[in-house]
Amino acid sequence: MHWTERAFNFLLGLTLVHWGVLTLWEGLSMARIVLASLHFIVGFLVWFRAPLQRGGSKLACVAALPGVIVGGGVFLLAPDPEHWSFLAQVVFGVGGMFTVVSLCFLGRSFAILPAIRSIIVRGPYRVIRHPVYAGELVMVIGCCLSLSNWLMVGAFALTLALVCLRIHAEERELLREDAYQRYAQQVRFRLLPALW
């Protein structure tokens, strides 16, 4: 791994761990604990991820970037987690736990923007190709349940559209690899079994 990639990973991981600490500093609701756990795990995965085999194209990265950001935006639209209903907290927690498990299986292959590291075919990746995004979408549903109004319905629709765009951008890059082509034939569904 080149020293610039190592330095970037170190700084990004440090930033994510710092966000986790700040999230816990604001309170200890279930939603904050889940969110902080995700920041910590992603920070550690960035620190220890495998060297980049091939980065995604600039177009793929630009197309994927809104899908990276939008989930955090929905969380910011929601009221303070201390005021969420029990149902909203449980849905957010279930989505968060599924995301954590998926990230643990992804391990050193973790990437934020489209990139080639290695193909994972175990755990939830045996059922759908993008379980982390599925878990994140369930978390967004939890955010939306915390404030049931048309703004949150629109926020979910926008998030879903941008995550689908992110998946398409990623898969355009990944499908250049023979291993991913074989994987995509084996695991047909991207996000939701029997649907897409």
Side-chain angles (χ1 to χ4, degrees):
M1 184 182 297
H2 194 270
W3 73 268
T4 55
E5 187 180 351
R6 257 190 233 128
F8 175 79
N9 286 347
F10 175 76
L11 292 173
L12 180 58
L14 191 62
T15 300
L16 289 159
V17 169
H18 181 250
W19 288 351
V21 171
L22 290 178
T23 300
L24 289 177
W25 189 264
E26 293 178 12
L28 290 178
S29 65
M30 181 192 296
R32 288 195 191 283
I33 291 169
V34 167
L35 193 58
S37 300
L38 282 171
H39 286 314
F40 293 140
I41 288 168
V42 171
F44 286 111
L45 290 177
V46 167
W47 278 336
F48 299 109
R49 64 184 169 178
L52 185 65
Q53 292 176 14
R54 183 171 52 81
S57 69
K58 287 182 178 128
L59 181 62
C61 291
V62 167
L65 193 57
V68 173
I69 297 168
V70 72
V74 175
F75 186 80
L76 293 175
L77 282 175
D80 252 4
E82 289 75 17
H83 303 295
W84 289 15
S85 68
F86 179 73
L87 176 63
Q89 294 228 22
V90 168
V91 170
F92 189 87
V94 168
M97 285 187 284
F98 186 73
T99 304
V100 165
V101 168
S102 300
L103 285 168
C104 289
F105 276 99
L106 187 58
R108 296 189 66 216
S109 295
F110 175 78
I112 294 172
L113 293 173
I116 305 298
R117 293 187 194 274
S118 61
I119 310 302
I120 303 301
V121 295
R122 60 187 188 274
Y125 291 88
R126 295 177 70 183
V127 181
I128 55 175
R129 298 198 303 250
H130 300 278
V132 171
Y133 303 156
E136 288 175 354
L137 284 170
V138 173
M139 293 171 69
V140 168
I141 291 170
C143 290
C144 292
L145 289 171
S146 73
L147 185 67
S148 301
N149 63 28
W150 287 107
L151 175 65
M152 293 309 260
V153 171
F156 177 74
L158 177 64
T159 302
L160 181 60
L162 291 175
V163 166
C164 290
L165 178 66
R166 181 181 185 185
I167 288 170
H168 277 294
E170 255 182 46
E171 290 208 333
R172 262 195 309 271
E173 299 296 316
L174 292 168
L175 285 167
R176 294 181 186 178
E177 301 292 316
D178 292 338
Y180 196 83
Q181 289 175 23
R182 288 191 298 273
Y183 171 65
Q185 289 171 348
Q186 230 180 339
V187 179
R188 291 181 40 227
F189 299 106
R190 294 174 179 95
L191 200 56
L192 193 61
L195 189 61
W196 185 69

